[in-house]
């Protein structure tokens, strides 16, 4: 695979002068503008990456350096976080809403996603607050509130089309990952199991917590099982507990993520939907 990089700039509307400015900054010898919402600068100077991405952000554009000539179909495994990545909500916050304690739990979730709290401890703390919630609340959240993020359906369809395996790995709950796996034909799904007794949540999680290290371990496990190289794996997430997983993938994608996650990832999608991946790797 060539190490030549292409800077891809995305927006619903790209201003010609902005594109000229970015191309000039990056000394890009080749500028391709295949659609009104995509500009490709093959050979853009990778050493000027930070300045180029900062300028793109200033203009309100998403942008990323990708390997020139690499296509989405070249990936063989897509690994995704669930809450706020594949889907638009945090399931535990919505369960808390039905229990009348959303602000209390959402504040803990936010701190955990920023990496300010130990994920496992914070999850047990939040689940404990759900004690007594009827099991029917899980179905209600799935039916009424779980929605794929914009562009997710197109990405999953592309995975099917190109034979790319899909792994959903979440610090959330099996009730939701199992249903998403069945509904969208995902290949693998791993998350935490809530204990339910007599139709109500006990406030406990069964077994080991799927935390940051577990997500990374599961990526490696499935990658090894499929006999893939790291470069064939694309992973996406939004929180601090996704960072080890993103760093283990050939390409780590931060989706509408916390600032520290966006800064560490190979690609940060801050404005577009997940289908931006299909434009980055055309």
């Amino acid at each position: 695979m060539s190490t030549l990089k292409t800077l891809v700039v995305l927006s619903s509307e790209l201003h010609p002068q902005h594109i000229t400015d970015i191309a000039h900054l990056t000394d890009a010898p080749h500028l391709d503008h295949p659609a009104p919402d995509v500009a490709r600068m093959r050979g853009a100077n990778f050493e000027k990456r930070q300045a180029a991405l900062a300028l793109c952000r200033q203009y309100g554009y998403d942008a990323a350096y990708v390997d020139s000539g690499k296509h989405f179909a070249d990936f063989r495994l897509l690994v995704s976080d669930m809450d706020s990545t594949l889907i638009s909500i945090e399931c535990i916050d919505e369960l808390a809403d039905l229990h009348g304690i959303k602000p209390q739990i959402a504040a803990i979730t936010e701190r955990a996603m920023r990496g300010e709290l130990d994920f496992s401890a914070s999850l047990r703390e939040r689940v404990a607050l759900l004690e007594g919630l009827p099991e029917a609340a899980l179905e209600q959240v799935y039916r009424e509130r779980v929605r794929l993020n914009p562009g997710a359906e197109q990405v999953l369809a592309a995975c099917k089309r190109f034979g790319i395996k899909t792994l959903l790995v979440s610090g959330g709950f099996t009730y939701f990952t199992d249903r998403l796996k069945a509904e969208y034909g995902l290949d693998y799904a791993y998350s935490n199991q809530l204990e339910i007794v007599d139709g109500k949540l006990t406030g406990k999680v069964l077994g080991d917590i799927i935390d940051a290290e577990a997500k990374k371990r599961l990526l490696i496990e499935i990658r090894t099982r499929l006999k893939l190289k790291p470069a064939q794996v694309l992973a996406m997430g939004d929180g601090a507990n996704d960072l080890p997983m993103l760093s283990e993938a050939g390409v780590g994608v931060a989706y509408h993520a916390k600032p520290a996650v966006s800064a560490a990832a190979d690609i940060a999608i801050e404005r577009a939907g997940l289908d931006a991946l299909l434009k980055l790797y055309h």
Side-chain angles (χ1 to χ4, degrees):
M1 178 71 68
S2 169
T3 55
L4 188 69
K5 296 287 185 179
T6 295
L7 174 61
V8 186
V9 184
L10 306 174
S11 178
S12 57
E13 188 176 348
L14 296 171
H15 191 283
Q17 186 59 53
H18 292 171
I19 297 306
T20 300
D21 292 346
I22 297 164
H24 179 73
L25 172 65
T26 60
D27 310 316
H30 303 284
L31 173 58
D32 182 20
H33 212 331
D37 59 346
V38 182
R40 301 181 189 284
M41 304 176 190
R42 188 162 55 89
N45 189 334
F46 190 69
E47 291 181 4
K48 296 186 177 181
R49 177 176 182 264
Q50 296 302 332
L53 296 180
L55 183 58
C56 290
R57 275 195 301 275
Q58 181 184 319
Y59 289 145
Y61 302 155
D62 279 317
Y65 279 83
V66 301
D67 287 342
S68 300
K70 184 159 189 168
H71 305 286
F72 189 76
D74 295 329
F75 293 105
R76 296 287 86 205
L77 176 65
L78 173 76
V79 184
S80 180
D81 170 52
M82 178 177 69
D83 296 289
S84 298
T85 301
L86 190 69
I87 65 174
S88 62
I89 63 166
E90 295 282 337
C91 290
I92 194 167
D93 293 356
E94 301 308 311
L95 291 171
D97 189 37
L98 298 184
H99 207 41
I101 55 170
K102 184 172 183 176
Q104 188 177 349
I105 284 189
I108 301 172
T109 301
E110 177 67 17
R111 290 187 64 200
M113 290 303 97
R114 288 200 302 261
E116 296 171 7
L117 299 174
D118 174 75
F119 181 82
S120 296
S122 73
L123 182 68
R124 293 190 191 279
E125 180 185 352
R126 285 174 286 162
V127 170
L129 294 171
L130 297 176
E131 182 181 358
L133 185 67
E135 183 179 7
L138 297 166
E139 183 188 354
Q140 185 180 348
V141 167
Y142 188 80
R143 186 179 67 249
E144 297 178 2
R145 306 190 184 192
V146 170
R147 298 290 182 271
L148 294 186
N149 262 321
E153 210 152 352
Q154 293 93 313
V155 170
L156 295 179
C159 288
K160 281 272 190 292
R161 191 161 66 247
F162 297 126
I164 300 168
K165 297 294 186 183
T166 47
L167 163 62
L168 185 61
V169 59
S170 171
F173 308 117
T174 54
Y175 186 95
F176 302 104
T177 54
D178 288 353
R179 279 156 183 75
L180 288 166
K181 180 175 182 281
E183 187 170 347
Y184 294 100
L186 308 178
D187 294 290
Y188 312 95
Y190 298 91
S191 55
N192 300 301
Q193 187 172 353
L194 293 166
E195 183 179 62
I196 298 170
V197 176
D198 296 330
K200 292 186 176 181
L201 275 64
T202 67
K204 295 178 181 176
V205 180
L206 299 173
D208 294 333
I209 299 289
I210 301 291
D211 60 6
E213 284 307 307
K215 287 185 172 192
K216 174 183 172 181
R217 187 181 69 249
L218 285 162
L219 181 153
I220 294 170
E221 184 181 304
I222 299 299
R223 184 183 72 198
T224 303
R225 188 186 306 176
L226 296 173
K227 297 180 172 62
L228 301 178
K229 298 173 182 174
Q232 295 174 291
V233 181
L234 185 152
M236 54 194 196
D238 72 300
N241 65 324
D242 295 314
L243 279 171
M245 172 180 86
L246 299 186
S247 66
E248 191 60 43
V251 175
V253 179
Y255 180 72
H256 293 220
K258 304 297 178 272
V261 182
S262 290
D266 300 304
I267 294 171
I269 300 171
E270 296 176 343
R271 296 166 184 83
L274 286 169
D275 54 325
L277 293 172
L278 306 179
K279 296 173 183 177
L280 291 171
Y281 295 99
H282 65 108

